[in-house]
Amino acid sequence: MSGQSGVAAPQSGWTEGQVREAVAIFDSREALQQAIDELSLGGFERHELSLLANDETIRERLGDVPRHVEQVAHDPNAPRQSFVSPEDTGSLQGVAAGFPAYVGAILATGAVLATGGTALAAAAAAAAAGAGGGAAGSFLSQWLSDKRNEPMLQQLDKGGILLWVNLRDADRERRALEILNRHAVKPAEVHDVPQTGSV
């Protein structure tokens, strides 16, 4: 265990109508994945973890893209997305051998809406050109992988990858901070944000 100085101790201030969460910055996708793996083993669910969305979504929501991820680490309005593991992406890519199943997977994840339908159109064009379902599946497999990596690559150019962890009690806060601080580039921080209608 590496000795980290300045690690914020868990606080006991749990306020009604607020959600307490930890936020950490990682300098690589590998470090992020290691932290998420440990958090999962420690009892944290995937829906309790979120990442910063891509630059396009940030610009739409906030009007501007920050030069450094730290600028939005504590912003409750920063747009977020769920973490999709390589295993989850692989499952989507291998759902079926043919084109129709990939269309279903993309529609289910909302990817068509996110691109204005361009992914679906490109896949249909590949299939119509006689390449068949295999080529369309290969195209969509790569597209899903690129979409998963895009926000993380954009963030790395701005100082690192942000990860937020929802904390339900002081024990989970302590556990999350221990795990995050083993992998993050600097000590994780904790803050409260207003609770929305959906958790």
Side-chain angles (χ1 to χ4, degrees):
M1 181 182 290
S2 59
Q4 295 248 4
S5 58
V7 175
Q11 300 176 17
S12 58
W14 297 84
T15 309
E16 189 71 30
Q18 299 282 312
V19 174
R20 197 159 174 80
E21 60 184 11
V23 60
I25 301 174
F26 301 87
D27 62 2
S28 71
R29 286 178 289 177
E30 292 74 23
L32 172 71
Q33 184 66 57
Q34 289 169 357
I36 288 175
D37 289 346
E38 278 196 49
L39 287 165
S40 297
L41 289 171
F44 290 86
E45 303 289 336
R46 289 297 169 90
H47 70 270
E48 296 176 303
L49 313 176
S50 56
L51 299 169
L52 186 63
N54 64 24
D55 285 355
E56 182 181 354
T57 305
I58 295 170
R59 191 175 289 109
E60 288 172 5
R61 185 77 57 85
L62 302 180
D64 193 22
V65 178
R67 296 173 72 107
H68 199 284
V69 294
E70 282 189 89
Q71 293 174 257
V72 293
H74 300 286
D75 185 347
N77 298 314
R80 303 179 185 192
Q81 66 180 31
S82 299
F83 174 76
V84 179
S85 71
E87 295 80 16
D88 294 336
T89 304
S91 296
L92 280 176
Q93 293 167 346
V95 160
F99 172 70
Y102 281 97
V103 172
I106 283 186
L107 289 172
T109 60
V112 172
L113 295 175
T115 63
T118 55
L120 184 59
S138 175
F139 166 81
L140 290 173
S141 171
Q142 184 59 50
W143 186 86
L144 283 170
S145 180
D146 291 346
K147 276 309 190 188
R148 171 186 170 269
N149 291 321
E150 179 186 52
M152 289 186 273
L153 294 173
Q154 291 171 342
Q155 289 175 54
L156 284 171
D157 288 339
K158 299 177 187 70
I161 304 168
L162 277 179
L163 173 69
W164 287 279
V165 181
N166 190 297
L167 307 168
R168 288 183 290 191
D169 55 49
D171 180 58
R172 289 169 71 80
E173 179 176 330
R174 194 166 22 256
R175 219 178 324 155
L177 289 175
E178 287 173 3
I179 293 169
L180 293 172
N181 288 329
R182 277 198 284 275
H183 304 284
V185 294
K186 56 184 270 189
E189 298 175 339
V190 177
H191 60 238
D192 295 318
V193 293
Q195 185 169 15
T196 58
S198 59
V199 178

